[in-house]
Amino acid sequence: MSLLSDLINLNLSETTEKIIAEYIWIGGSGMDLRSKARTLKGPITDVSQLPKWNYDGSSTGQAPGEDSEVILYPQAIFKDPFRKGNNILVMCDCYTPQGDPIPTNKRYQAAKIFQDPAVAAEEPWYGIEQEYTLLQKDVKWPLGWPVGGFPGPQGPYYCSAGADKSFGRDIVDAHYKACLYAGINISGINGEVMPGQWEFQVGPTVGIASGDQVWVARYILERITEIAGVVLTFDPKPIPGDWNGAGAHTNYSTKSMREDGGYEVIKAAIEKLKLKHKEHIAAYGEGNERRLTGRHETADINTFSWGVANRGASVRVGRETEKDGKGYFEDRRPASNMDPYVVTSMIAETTILSKP
Amino acid sequence: MALLNDLLNLNLSDHTEKIIAEYIWIGGSGMDMRSKARTISKPVSSPSELPKWNYDGSSTGQAPGEDSEVIIYPQAIFKDPFRGGNNILVMCDCYTPQGEPIPTNKRHNAAKIFSNPEVAAEEPWYGIEQEYTLLQKDVNWPLGWPVGGFPGPQGPYYCAAGADKAFGRDIVDAHYKACLYAGINISGINGEVMPGQWEFQVGPSVGIAAADQVWVARYILERITEKAGVVLSFDPKPIMGDWNGAGAHTNYSTKSMREEGGYEIIKKAIEKLGLRHKEHIAAYGEGNERRLTGRHETADINTFKWGVANRGASIRVGRDTEKEGKGYFEDRRPASNMDPYVVTSMIAETTLLWKPT
């Protein structure tokens, strides 16, 4: 199909100034990503140059049929790794025609928290470890698993190579380069403990940009798995039994934590998180109770615990942070299907704004 | 899937200074290779420019869950043949957070032996002949063999060509170029006596670099077989019966052996190896007793003997070396699943440092 590829890869910059902008938003379930494209008359250098747009909210469970327009406000732009040239991806959030954020718009509230002077002064950094599982199309059974059966038990697969151990690397590697190209701060990838499961990390990124980048990275991943004919799932426990779940561990630090004496600030922050364990858990992803069992490198969902280098705890502090007396910590509770706008802003709110 | 390949082959250097570094280490079994990648802000030319990293040792049988961090120290870098550009592969070894080598870290001790002034002065060269077998995925039966049966007996396959004789050449040739691209000192390849079995050679490389290069060459091979949908095996006797095993013959020489009168040095070294036969054999790979039977171009595992041009001996000296009175010799005992850090350093230790009592 070389003719189709030739057309897909046409470099339009040679013939026109026009560019294509793919507007991306989050749909009615809070996890479904939607997008559509429009032509703009020239290259864009700043998100403020982009027009607002709208879509049919009655088709995504976000508006009634008789008043279906949902307005898209562009919030962040990235280079389009599929169309290349000067074409762009645009992360948007959703508003009513009257200008109010619709209920599924979690970015709006997160942006307010990150603009709070007390939060902004602390320059909160986030590193998010997004895990996900690849499934064979139609049968929805993990990639590489025999249909109707199971692979050998976990052990050989974590960070492995080999046709009998590692399934779907082309998707993961293509995603890594595509994200770097797009301008997403992707910091690494690895094969996970359960075969067919992978992880990428985005960060360290400041404030609201972290949520924007994770969502666009998820979108790029869904586009790539679409090309590969493989189904992407962010379910936190895709296969019950002796198989790891999928999380979105969120690494976090503030200016004070990164400076000398930061370890005390970290411990105080962890105490605040402990006091609001139930509230955080409720916002950390649907179905997380299937994953946070206390086994498979998780802490039980009802228990809050923390420890240095302890992967069985709710919050883990790295050995280097302990040794240096400053650094960051890892909230291991969020599920792979968490909303990064909610999780990042909630951690900032609890640790910086809330009083015990 | 042209679009997927376009993304895989994206030349990032056109858009960013950032590079991707794939950190590689050896897992809990001593043979399983593991790796993960991270973004580095700009190109590097030496491992000392790279940060230490860590991984979850509880997932590789190398640490408990409540204290799971294992630290990886970059030791050698190579160009990444899969990602191209300025991207790199980084061979690492493993330490506790306190800075102690973990039990499966065999490189640490090997590096100490190679830094010993007496060893370093002799500039030990190694040429390692890594044999391996390709297996069909899911059935784990050798590539090219009929499932449920056997091919015709050995004879036609060694260095053969032909759809009925050579199985998996694309993997072998892709591997050869990939290793050369990466900067590994790969010196050759050949099809082996057992159908579906192949060999590549790395060397001559000096000291610790020999083993670093063999490990990374193994990693590149596993990545390539993964792409090809074929399973890689380093088992020393994959198929019982009248089928060759797989070895990692280790060719060796020191400065003295390579100079005039070297042949006498070689004979003395071989004598020392003979006196430590049991200790070497114990470190030359698991399952080697299934391979070293005295048949199929091996010497029996309990016997130590050497000879010129003798492939049935434990140690073989080439005719050229005998004729010129200097050169190198071949230790044919190591199995394909040997750890080159252990074997290369042990040969240096026995021949250069050890004194018989």
Side-chain angles (χ1 to χ4, degrees), chain A residues 158-159 186 297 311 319, chain B residues 34-35 39 56 67-68 83:
Chain A
Y158 171 74
C159 295
I186 183 167
E297 303 172 276
R311 280 179 159 82
R319 287 226 169 271
Chain B
R34 311 277 180 157
S35 77
T39 307
D56 174 11
D67 188 10
S68 60
R83 295 198 177 99

Side-chain angles (χ1 to χ4, degrees), chain A residues 23-28 32 34-36 52-64 67-73 92-95 97 102 104-105:
Chain A
Y23 280 52
I24 302 165
W25 71 95
I26 299 159
D32 55 316
R34 309 279 180 153
S35 76
K36 55 176 179 159
K52 294 185 172 133
W53 205 11
N54 66 76
Y55 68 92
D56 173 13
S58 67
S59 290
T60 58
Q62 292 170 304
D67 187 10
S68 61
E69 267 177 41
V70 176
I71 318 302
L72 295 168
Y73 290 24
C92 305
D93 62 345
C94 304
Y95 296 78
I102 66 174
T104 48
N105 178 349

Side-chain angles (χ1 to χ4, degrees), chain B residues 122 254 256-257 261-270 329:
Chain B
E122 280 289 355
T254 60
S256 308
M257 294 174 193
Y263 196 44
E264 296 309 309
I265 311 281
I266 287 173
K267 286 196 280 191
K268 284 204 177 59
I270 292 176
F329 65 83

